[in-house]
Amino acid sequence: MSNNSNSLTGKNIAITGATKGIGRATATLLSSLGANLLIGARNENELRELTSILSDNSVKVIYQHLNVEEENSIIEFLNLGITKLGKIEALINCAGYGSFNSFLETTTEEFDRMISVNLRGSFLTSRYFAQHMVENKSGQIININSIAGNTVLAGNAGYSASKFGLLGLTKVMQLELRKQGVYVTSILPGATNTAFWDHIDNYPDRSKMIPSETIAMNIVSILSQPDGAVVDEITITPPLGVL
């Protein structure tokens, strides 16, 4: 982790998909470092419970039900953050959905859902928050992608399509936004030990996966970069490589 992590004290950061996996680990770590948080997810009970826990760190934590497939939900999420916290200085897109089948067995509904959440949802959330950041001439956006975003894996037809698309989207965002003071990073984790795998049959040994807390530490490092450098993209793999 960067030694500059104390720079996060008082920083206003938004996290989507905040109640589970990488999102929850990141929210927990950031709040312990003094960041104020705007957290969103589909399950309001889980949001309320997490907010109660994180508020014990003497930071501001506000939550909003968020469905990244619905444009109005994203607008309400951003507006609440601006109203309650002021300038939003960073956005971490953790919301995601995966369903794994062979190309021939992938249903239209499964494919559409992954494109809608992983690609379209990240596009919409990033666009609205980036507009706010451009107005303020500064900001950071971190898109949580996947190793499936640049590596071909059998059984990942729809998931890879959404994540390859997200990687391309992120590269365009980097090119267009950096001159306006907004920096964008793509993180491509390998298999990470989260509840993502709970409904997936025949998953790899979860004890050999990356702990979600490790991804959170890398996110903190990116948010804490000293002046003069920007991290465009990092790939993080389990010690044994792609599982």
Side-chain angles (χ1 to χ4, degrees):
M1 187 189 303
S2 167
N3 292 328
N4 200 34
S5 58
N6 58 352
S7 66
L8 297 176
T9 301
K11 195 166 186 175
N12 300 327
I13 300 174
I15 306 174
T16 73
T19 58
K20 297 182 185 300
I22 293 171
R24 187 183 183 98
T26 302
T28 301
L29 182 55
L30 286 173
S31 69
S32 74
L33 295 172
N36 301 315
L37 301 179
L38 166 66
I39 58 174
R42 289 174 181 265
N43 190 311
E44 194 159 347
N45 289 331
E46 291 178 355
L47 280 169
R48 190 178 299 111
E49 176 260 339
L50 180 59
T51 299
S52 176
I53 293 171
L54 299 184
S55 295
D56 289 342
N57 290 323
S58 299
V59 295
K60 294 180 181 178
V61 181
I62 58 174
Y63 72 88
Q64 173 84 19
H65 171 267
L66 174 64
N67 181 353
V68 298
E69 295 182 84
E70 297 178 0
E71 200 160 352
N72 285 337
S73 181
I74 295 168
I75 294 170
E76 291 172 1
F77 181 61
L78 171 60
N79 287 341
L80 177 68
I82 295 171
T83 300
K84 297 292 186 178
L85 298 178
K87 180 171 68 173
I88 305 299
E89 296 159 279
L91 166 68
I92 306 168
N93 281 313
C94 293
Y97 173 75
S99 177
F100 302 101
N101 282 303
S102 70
F103 167 69
L104 293 178
E105 295 176 336
T106 298
T107 67
T108 304
E109 291 74 19
E110 287 173 328
F111 186 88
D112 286 348
R113 176 84 191 283
M114 284 182 274
I115 296 295
S116 180
V117 175
N118 300 339
L119 180 55
R120 183 176 180 273
S122 295
F123 161 73
L124 289 172
T125 308
S126 295
R127 188 183 66 186
Y128 282 108
F129 276 80
Q131 289 169 350
H132 167 72
M133 292 173 182
V134 166
E135 289 176 0
N136 292 307
K137 298 182 173 61
S138 67
Q140 280 183 282
I141 297 174
I142 297 176
N143 286 333
I144 303 301
N145 200 305
S146 166
I147 195 72
N150 66 2
T151 303
V152 177
L153 301 169
N156 279 253
Y159 191 68
S160 278
S162 69
K163 293 298 190 176
F164 266 79
L166 178 58
L167 184 61
L169 171 66
T170 303
K171 288 180 180 294
V172 173
M173 290 168 58
Q174 290 166 348
L175 183 64
E176 293 187 0
L177 297 176
R178 67 172 72 239
K179 292 182 179 179
Q180 301 180 77
V182 180
Y183 301 109
V184 186
T185 301
S186 182
I187 297 182
L188 294 90
T192 303
N193 187 11
T194 70
F196 182 87
W197 301 96
D198 288 351
H199 67 284
I200 297 171
D201 296 329
N202 301 317
Y203 53 74
D205 183 347
R206 286 170 67 165
S207 69
K208 296 178 181 178
M209 295 181 181
I210 307 167
S212 56
E213 292 79 9
T214 298
I215 306 298
M217 291 177 68
N218 279 272
I219 290 171
V220 166
S221 179
I222 290 167
L223 292 170
S224 307
Q225 286 295 305
D227 292 339
V230 177
V231 178
D232 283 344
E233 180 179 315
I234 60 171
T235 299
I236 307 169
T237 61
L240 298 178
V242 178
L243 299 179

